[in-house]
Amino acid sequence: MKRAILGPDHLLPAPSVPPPWPGREVHLDGSVTYVRDTPATGPDAEPALYVHGLGGSSQNWTDLAGLLAERLDGQAIDLPGFGRSEPGQRYTIPSFAQRVVRWIEHSDRGPVHLFGNSLGGSVSVHVAALRPDLVRTLTLVSPALPFLDFRRSLQGRMLPLLAVPRGERLAAWRLAQLAPEVMAQQVMESCVADLTRISDQRRQEALEEIRVRYEAEHYAAAYVRTFRGLVASFLRAYLPGSGSLWRLAAAVRAPTLVVGGRQDRLVDVRVAPQTARVIPDSRLMLLDGVGHVAQLEVPRLVARAVLGLLAETDGVGTALERPDMAG
């Protein structure tokens, strides 16, 4: 593990708040996967794929994908049951990873620069470990890799729900009790350390995403079943066997950037440094005053760290800056 380096800010576009990138429905293995495209603005851009976290969607990558469009021809997918993708049959890390693999194969764009936030981070680690031929570099933002002290996560309050028969119905009932505006505010407060960094446009888009969830009958079940699958993967990580996410992380060979926020309220803040220690070719950037979704809260800083990763893999990293906030 080493500290991340930052690419020059002037290589990024001028600050702006782009609208969500256009999306499309793709029929893949008998169901619809929703994909957003961020067209490349540079002639030599390489393919990238962005994978969101639990309860998120492809819109979580709007700013970062736009900032990196000179270097990366981006696509962001909605995992089964989330965003505008149809529900899946299973909601486990391996099943999500298989969908990501199938999309890369279907789109014939691999190997890609793979990005994952939270749940998407654990999914991306699974893909990078088992299908190294499909991954050029790996960027993990607050990856939800295993930890056992759920007092360090706001989502620990959901654990009793997993023991309730038909907990999905209870979750759906709870969802119906909250106005979309209240739910959107609660989600934002749990994910973001400094809400002043989030523009009015992004807040409005988050509200519209919440309304989409309210209209999707499958959403509560998808959320609860995915959380159950994530917790199960955490427990298996500390047992013998090849399915451990930590063992998979140790098998990753792609150059990797790990970004963590010191004010993360959803994933134990010790996970990002541990992830960087386990993955052999890794760089770590820990950010003070940043929460669970650094790509939303400080997208420009994350984009500069990605440029640093790309420069290193191109063999020109020595001229770049190693920031003090990198751990």
Side-chain angles (χ1 to χ4, degrees):
M1 178 186 74
K2 54 189 174 183
R3 297 198 308 174
I5 61 177
L6 299 182
D9 185 80
H10 69 80
L11 294 181
L12 299 175
S16 66
V17 185
W21 300 106
R24 54 198 168 94
E25 295 183 348
V26 179
H27 290 268
L28 182 64
D29 297 337
S31 66
V32 170
T33 294
Y34 195 80
V35 181
R36 293 185 187 274
D37 297 284
T38 304
T41 58
D44 300 317
E46 297 172 335
L49 183 63
Y50 300 88
V51 186
H52 64 79
L54 177 62
S57 77
S58 53
Q59 280 196 185
N60 296 158
W61 300 101
T62 300
D63 292 308
L64 185 65
L67 288 169
L68 294 172
E70 174 71 21
R71 289 295 312 274
L72 300 179
D73 183 15
Q75 291 183 338
I77 65 170
D78 289 340
L79 292 172
F82 296 95
R84 290 166 173 77
S85 285
E86 290 183 344
Q89 294 182 346
R90 303 184 65 199
Y91 294 92
T92 64
I93 303 302
S95 65
F96 286 137
Q98 181 59 29
R99 177 54 58 96
V100 171
V101 166
R102 286 290 298 117
W103 172 250
I104 298 173
E105 292 175 337
H106 175 81
S107 62
D108 196 25
R109 302 173 77 240
V112 301
H113 297 280
L114 186 60
F115 292 72
N117 172 224
S118 191
L119 166 71
S122 56
V123 171
S124 296
V125 164
H126 200 284
V127 173
L130 297 181
R131 290 297 305 271
D133 56 307
L134 298 181
V135 181
R136 297 175 187 238
T137 66
L138 180 63
T139 296
L140 306 172
V141 181
S142 293
L145 265 66
F147 62 96
L148 294 179
D149 188 353
F150 279 89
R151 294 171 300 178
R152 292 177 172 267
S153 171
L154 289 179
Q155 289 183 326
R157 297 178 299 188
M158 284 185 57
L159 284 176
L161 186 65
L162 302 186
V164 176
R166 298 184 180 270
E168 295 91 340
R169 292 186 178 182
L170 181 58
W173 175 84
R174 173 60 177 163
L175 188 67
Q177 305 311 302
L178 295 176
E181 294 80 5
V182 174
M183 177 64 76
Q185 183 67 20
Q186 289 184 358
V187 170
M188 196 71 71
E189 289 175 351
S190 67
C191 292
V192 175
D194 184 353
L195 290 174
T196 65
R197 294 182 174 130
I198 307 301
S199 68
D200 290 341
Q201 179 177 321
R202 291 289 176 261
R203 291 170 186 260
Q204 185 59 39
E205 291 164 359
L207 176 57
E208 292 305 317
E209 283 282 292
I210 293 292
R211 288 181 173 140
V212 169
R213 299 179 193 178
Y214 276 59
E215 295 170 0
E217 294 182 0
H218 64 264
Y219 178 77
Y223 189 98
V224 173
R225 291 175 62 189
T226 300
F227 184 59
R228 183 180 289 122
L230 189 62
V231 171
S233 75
F234 281 18
L235 298 177
R236 282 195 299 270
Y238 298 98
L239 299 174
S242 59
S244 165
L245 276 171
W246 285 122
R247 292 185 183 89
L248 289 171
V252 171
R253 293 297 177 262
T256 300
L257 168 67
V258 181
V259 179
R262 295 188 191 272
Q263 276 62 54
D264 193 334
R265 302 176 69 196
L266 296 178
V267 169
D268 190 331
V269 296
R270 298 173 295 184
V271 168
Q274 178 66 12
T275 302
R277 283 191 290 268
V278 170
I279 294 177
D281 185 7
S282 67
R283 302 127 187 87
L284 174 65
M285 184 166 71
L286 290 178
L287 301 172
D288 289 326
V290 174
H292 186 63
V293 285
Q295 81 277 14
L296 280 169
E297 196 169 353
V298 286
R300 201 168 189 90
L301 188 54
V302 176
R304 291 182 64 193
V306 174
L307 290 182
L309 171 66
L310 297 178
E312 281 193 278
T313 58
D314 289 341
V316 295
T318 55
L320 302 179
E321 172 187 352
R322 294 194 183 273
D324 291 338
M325 74 283 293

